[in-house]
C-alpha cells in the first residue's frame, strides 16, 4: 500500500469513527422500518434490499405507507421523491467542496447523503477536518447502520406474529410527531409544521364533504403546500448561506494545500 492509499484509508476510518453515532441512531429506526415492512407483506430480503438500495429513512416510511394504502407504485415513488427533494439541496451545498473527484466517489457521496451525514460532514468542513474519504467513511457507517437495523427488525418480526396488537401501524405517525418535536428548533420550522398539519386537516374535512381524494395524496400535497407557503412569506437568507458555503470551501482547499 503506497503512502497516498494509506492516507486515504486513515481519512476513511476517521470518518467511520466520526459517523458512528449515526450508526447507533439508525439502528432503532431501521428496526422500526423492518418491522413495518414485514407487517405490510415485505419478505426479509425485500425489506433489506429496500434499505440497502434506497437509504432514505423518512422517505422509505412514506413510500411504505403510501404503497400500503394505495397499492400504487407510482404514488409511492412520487411521495418518496417529494420527501427527499431536500437531498438535492444538500448535494448542491456540498458540491463546491468536492471538485475533481472520481465519479465513483461522487456517486457514493451522493447516495449516502442523509440529514445526519450532511450535518456531520458540513460541521467537519467548517472545522477543516473533512476530506472526500472521511465523508465517505461517514456515509458508509450510516448506510451499514440503516441496513443492520432493518435486518434486525425484519428478522425479529418473523417471531412476533400479528403486529397489529402492538399498534405498529401507528409507529409512522408517532415517529414523525417525535421527529417534529425533536428537530423543530426555530419558530419558522414550528409554524411550517403546524401549517402542514392544518393543511392535512383541511384536506380530510374536504374529503368528508365529498372531495374523494385518496389519503396517500395528503402527504404529497401538504408537504408541497406548506413548504411553498413558507418560502413565499419568509425572507430569503440564501445569500448568507452561499457566503458561508464559499468561505468553508475556501478554507477546506487551503487546508489540503
Amino acid at each position: 500500500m503506497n503512502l497516498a492509499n494509506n492516507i486515504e484509508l486513515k481519512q476513511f476510518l476517521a470518518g467511520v469513527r466520526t459517523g458512528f453515532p449515526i450508526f447507533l441512531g439508525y439502528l432503532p429506526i431501521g428496526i422500526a422500518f423492518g418491522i413495518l415492512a414485514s407487517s405490510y407483506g415485505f419478505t426479509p430480503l425485500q425489506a433489506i434490499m429496500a434499505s440497502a438500495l434506497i437509504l432514505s429513512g423518512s422517505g422509505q416510511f412514506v413510500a411504505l405507507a403510501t404503497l400500503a394504502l394505495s397499492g400504487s407504485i407510482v404514488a409511492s415513488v412520487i411521495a418518496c421523491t417529494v420527501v427527499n427533494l431536500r437531498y438535492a439541496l444538500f448535494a448542491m451545498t456540498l458540491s463546491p467542496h468536492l471538485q475533481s473527484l472520481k465519479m465513483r466517489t461522487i456517486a457514493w457521496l451522493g447516495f449516502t447523503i442523509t440529514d445526519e451525514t450532511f450535518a456531520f460532514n458540513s460541521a467537519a468542513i467548517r472545522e477543516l477536518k473533512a476530506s472526500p474519504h472521511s465523508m465517505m467513511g461517514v456515509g458508509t457507517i450510516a448506510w451499514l447502520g440503516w441496513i443492520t437495523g432493518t435486518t434486525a427488525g425484519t428478522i425479529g418480526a418473523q417471531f412476533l406474529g400479528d403486529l397489529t396488537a402492538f399498534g405498529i401501524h401507528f409507529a409512522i405517525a408517532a415517529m414523525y410527531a417525535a421527529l417534529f418535536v425533536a428537530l423543530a428548533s426555530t419558530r419558522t420550522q414550528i409554524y411550517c409544521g403546524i401549517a402542514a398539519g392544518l393543511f392535512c386537516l383541511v384536506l380530510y374535512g374536504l374529503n368528508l364533504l365529498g372531495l374523494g381524494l385518496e389519503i396517500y395524496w395528503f402527504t404529497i400535497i401538504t408537504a408541497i403546500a406548506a413548504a411553498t407557503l413558507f418560502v413565499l412569506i419568509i425572507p430569503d437568507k440564501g445569500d448568507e448561506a452561499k457566503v458561508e458555503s464559499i468561505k468553508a470551501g475556501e478554507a477546506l482547499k487551503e487546508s489540503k494545500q
Side-chain angles (χ1 to χ4, degrees):
M1 179 180 295
N2 59 40
L3 179 60
N5 288 337
N6 190 41
I7 292 174
E8 292 174 356
L9 178 59
K10 288 183 177 179
Q11 292 173 343
F12 179 84
L13 294 176
V16 169
R17 290 192 295 271
T18 299
F20 191 70
I22 303 177
F23 177 93
L24 297 177
Y26 279 1
L27 284 178
I29 304 176
I31 290 172
F33 175 77
I35 292 174
L36 281 171
S38 296
S39 72
Y40 285 136
F42 278 52
T43 67
L45 180 60
Q46 288 172 335
I48 294 168
M49 290 303 294
S51 289
L53 298 177
I54 300 174
L55 184 59
S56 176
S58 58
Q60 286 180 225
F61 279 98
V62 169
L64 183 64
T66 304
L67 186 62
L69 289 170
S70 68
S72 170
I73 294 176
V74 173
S76 180
V77 170
I78 292 175
C80 186
T81 300
V82 170
V83 170
N84 290 337
L85 283 176
R86 67 191 187 281
Y87 293 154
L89 300 178
F90 293 169
M92 286 188 286
T93 301
L94 293 176
S95 61
H97 317 307
L98 303 173
Q99 302 297 322
S100 302
L101 295 179
K102 295 179 180 178
M103 184 56 66
R104 63 174 180 270
T105 301
I106 295 176
W108 184 248
L109 290 173
F111 172 71
T112 56
I113 286 181
T114 66
D115 300 86
E116 292 77 15
T117 62
F118 174 75
F120 271 65
N121 287 328
S122 296
I125 288 173
R126 289 193 298 270
E127 297 170 4
L128 307 181
K129 296 179 180 178
S131 72
H133 289 86
S134 70
M135 296 168 72
M136 289 176 67
V138 171
T140 299
I141 193 65
W143 179 67
L144 291 175
W146 186 239
I147 295 174
T148 302
T150 301
T151 301
T154 192
I155 292 177
Q158 309 306 310
F159 303 97
L160 294 177
D162 183 11
L163 299 173
T164 57
F166 299 96
I168 193 65
H169 295 301
F170 184 68
I172 294 177
M175 184 195 73
Y176 279 113
L179 286 175
F180 177 66
V181 172
L183 299 178
S185 57
T186 67
R187 289 185 179 180
T188 300
Q189 293 169 348
I190 293 172
Y191 294 154
C192 188
I194 292 174
L198 292 175
F199 279 131
C200 194
L201 290 175
V202 169
L203 289 174
Y204 183 75
L206 291 175
N207 255 15
L208 293 178
L209 296 175
L211 178 63
L213 187 67
E214 296 290 348
I215 294 177
Y216 57 81
W217 284 105
F218 284 20
T219 300
I220 299 171
I221 293 173
T222 55
I224 294 175
T228 301
L229 175 64
F230 276 81
V231 166
L232 294 175
I233 66 176
I234 300 298
D236 183 20
K237 298 183 179 180
D239 292 338
E240 295 180 11
K242 290 177 182 177
V243 171
E244 291 299 322
S245 178
I246 292 172
K247 289 181 178 179
E250 291 176 347
L252 180 59
K253 290 179 181 178
E254 291 176 1
S255 69
K256 293 179 180 179
Q257 295 175 352

